[in-house]
Amino acid sequence: MRIILLTFWRAFKEKTKFCPIEFERVIEIMREKVAQHLYSLMMNEGKLLETLELFKDFFLLGRGELFLAFIDSADNMMQHSVAKKSSDSDINRLFLKSYTQLGFSNEDHVEKFRLKFVNGLPKSKSAEQVPSKWNDLTLTYDVQWPLHVLFTADVMAEYNKIFMCLLKLSRCQIALQTAWSVSTRSGCKFDADLLNLRSNVAYLIDQLQYYLHVDVLETNYTILLKEIKETKDFEAIRRAHNKFLGEIQAWSFLSDESENNLSSAPVSQLIDLVIILGFQTAVKFTEVSDSELKGPSVKKLDSNYEHVVLIMVALLESSAARQHNSLMNQLLLRVDYNGFFSNKRNQKKEKLRKAALSSKVVNHPAS
């Protein structure tokens, strides 16, 4: 690199007249050389592809079995009063234990990540409605040279935002699966309406999980790897990586505004309400087995569920009709499979229309 710079310096030193076009050409050549050098450092010294795979496994919950085991082992501690005294070392000990128990041999990988409790994080509606030490849990990574050029503090904050969203959804999914397990093993007889509610909410959570992990994360990760392998330019890698994070946040409804001009806030809030319903439904199975009925009734939860899903379907339909985006259509298809909810909404509209006409006839009979 020093030899290249000296060569250009000598070339310009010998010039008697300054040429802007020639100067721009030389600057661009130098930029390309530096970008190629950084690319080489990232790929060889920094092992970028291996690091991205680790980020996918941990920040994006690609190792589903690991987080299933971890949530199962840590949930009791996190939900009870003992969690107030739990430290970072306690939770990391459980995380490492879950990792080794699953037979993963490379502890160097997991030791680069560290779970950390952070007070004062912005709280979503589900975090406020379902308080837990889980809501303060973040994930950090020990970024080493030269990867710090790509994985800046702001970039790591974005990864952590995605991690917390996916972890919350996974916890809800596991809680509902555990509730089903309780219903099959317990000697208690559970109300049919409660079992049906659990099944409905679990279906929606499963569809959201599949959409995020397959349609959004896996698809965009494949695109990112393809773009990295097709270039030798560090700036091209940075742009591809920024686009990767941007697409994930937009289509996970975590960003303020997605590229298709659909405001993420309404969808994000609806997903949050579904997660609240999931946790509240799962708790009902514990209440029944303990004969301690608390919180909203099953009828109320079922009514809330139907209301939230109908609004979500209407919002997704409206956006999909305007934008014709494949991801939005995919999410709509997963949530409203076979048009179940849209048909239900149309039936309600028709029922209200007929009721309004009937009322009009009664109040204004034909003369």
Side-chain angles (χ1 to χ4, degrees):
M1 184 62 63
R2 184 180 296 177
I3 294 173
I4 293 171
L5 292 174
L6 284 172
T7 301
F8 286 129
W9 180 77
R10 286 169 183 165
F12 274 103
K13 189 178 179 182
E14 294 170 0
K15 297 280 185 182
T16 57
K17 186 178 179 180
F18 178 74
C19 178
I21 296 175
E22 179 69 13
F23 182 73
E24 288 180 7
R25 186 185 69 82
V26 170
I27 292 298
E28 177 59 23
I29 292 173
M30 291 173 64
R31 189 205 66 78
E32 289 178 359
K33 294 293 183 183
V34 172
Q36 289 171 8
H37 181 64
L38 279 173
Y39 171 86
S40 178
L41 286 175
M42 288 285 171
M43 300 300 287
N44 300 321
E45 299 290 334
K47 301 186 184 302
L48 177 60
L49 293 179
E50 182 180 311
T51 302
L52 286 172
E53 189 67 27
L54 287 176
F55 275 31
K56 179 171 176 282
D57 288 346
F58 289 86
F59 279 108
L60 307 183
L61 273 60
R63 290 279 186 185
E65 69 278 26
L66 168 61
F67 286 93
L68 173 62
F70 169 63
I71 292 170
D72 186 57
S73 63
D75 197 52
N76 187 59
M77 181 192 79
M78 299 287 268
Q79 298 291 357
H80 295 85
S81 59
V82 69
K84 296 178 181 178
K85 299 180 180 179
S86 60
S87 64
D88 293 349
S89 58
D90 294 329
I91 199 67
N92 281 286
R93 196 178 300 114
L94 280 175
F95 191 56
L96 181 59
K97 182 180 178 182
S98 300
Y99 185 85
T100 54
Q101 283 182 339
L102 288 171
F104 298 125
S105 57
N106 197 337
E107 290 189 15
D108 291 341
H109 287 168
V110 72
E111 287 175 355
K112 293 178 181 178
F113 295 87
R114 186 165 180 80
L115 293 162
K116 186 178 181 181
F117 291 112
V118 178
N119 295 322
L121 291 172
K123 292 289 189 292
S124 63
K125 193 173 184 67
S126 61
E128 293 172 355
Q129 292 283 331
V130 189
S132 167
K133 194 70 174 175
W134 283 109
N135 300 323
D136 298 326
L137 191 65
T138 62
L139 183 63
T140 63
Y141 178 78
D142 183 21
V143 181
Q144 297 293 319
W145 180 92
L147 294 178
H148 68 287
V149 180
L150 183 63
F151 300 119
T152 62
D154 288 341
V155 167
M156 297 310 296
E158 290 182 14
Y159 269 109
N160 209 47
K161 188 177 179 181
I162 298 168
F163 166 76
M164 295 177 72
C165 169
L166 295 175
L167 184 66
K168 178 172 59 178
L169 197 60
S170 291
R171 285 175 45 231
C172 183
Q173 184 181 45
I174 291 170
L176 289 167
Q177 290 171 349
T178 303
W180 175 82
S181 180
V182 168
S183 71
T184 58
R185 293 198 313 262
S186 174
C188 301
K189 289 187 177 180
F190 292 91
D191 183 72
D193 290 339
L194 177 58
L195 293 171
N196 188 54
L197 173 63
R198 189 217 68 84
S199 178
N200 290 337
V201 179
Y203 167 79
L204 185 53
I205 292 292
D206 288 346
Q207 296 310 308
L208 289 172
Q209 280 277 62
Y210 196 89
Y211 163 76
L212 289 173
H213 282 279
V214 177
D215 298 334
V216 177
L217 297 178
E218 196 62 45
T219 299
N220 282 288
Y221 184 72
T222 301
I223 293 171
L224 173 63
L225 292 185
K226 181 175 181 292
E227 291 183 354
I228 289 175
K229 291 174 181 177
E230 289 179 350
T231 186
K232 299 292 182 183
D233 189 320
F234 169 72
E235 286 302 321
I237 290 178
R238 191 203 295 273
R239 287 193 298 270
H241 184 253
N242 288 341
K243 181 184 176 184
F244 166 72
L245 283 178
E247 287 289 306
I248 289 177
Q249 293 208 55
W251 294 112
S252 300
F253 310 105
L254 295 173
S255 62
D256 295 330
E257 195 83 13
S258 64
E259 288 186 6
N260 65 351
N261 295 321
L262 167 69
S263 175
S264 298
V267 180
S268 178
Q269 290 168 7
L270 289 170
I271 292 174
D272 228 28
L273 289 173
V274 172
I275 291 173
I276 292 172
L277 287 167
F279 282 122
Q280 290 176 334
T281 301
V283 166
K284 283 294 174 188
F285 285 81
T286 305
E287 291 176 359
V288 171
S289 61
D290 292 342
S291 298
E292 296 178 359
L293 298 177
K294 301 175 184 177
S297 66
V298 173
K299 185 176 181 180
K300 177 66 175 174
L301 289 175
D302 191 55
S303 175
N304 290 344
Y305 165 78
E306 183 173 311
H307 181 66
V308 168
V309 177
L310 289 178
I311 293 175
M312 182 184 291
V313 168
L315 187 61
L316 293 175
E317 276 183 340
S318 174
S319 176
R322 290 197 313 271
Q323 303 299 330
H324 303 290
N325 186 281
S326 59
L327 269 179
M328 192 59 64
N329 283 312
Q330 195 65 37
L331 177 57
L332 177 61
L333 176 63
R334 296 198 185 286
V335 173
D336 190 29
Y337 186 69
N338 281 343
F340 177 80
F341 290 107
S342 53
N343 289 335
K344 198 169 188 177
R345 185 189 68 239
N346 292 335
Q347 288 171 7
K348 278 192 171 185
K349 283 183 179 180
E350 183 64 19
K351 188 175 180 180
L352 289 171
R353 188 185 69 82
K354 288 181 178 179
L357 286 174
S358 176
S359 176
K360 190 174 180 180
V361 170
V362 171
N363 293 330
H364 304 282
S367 54

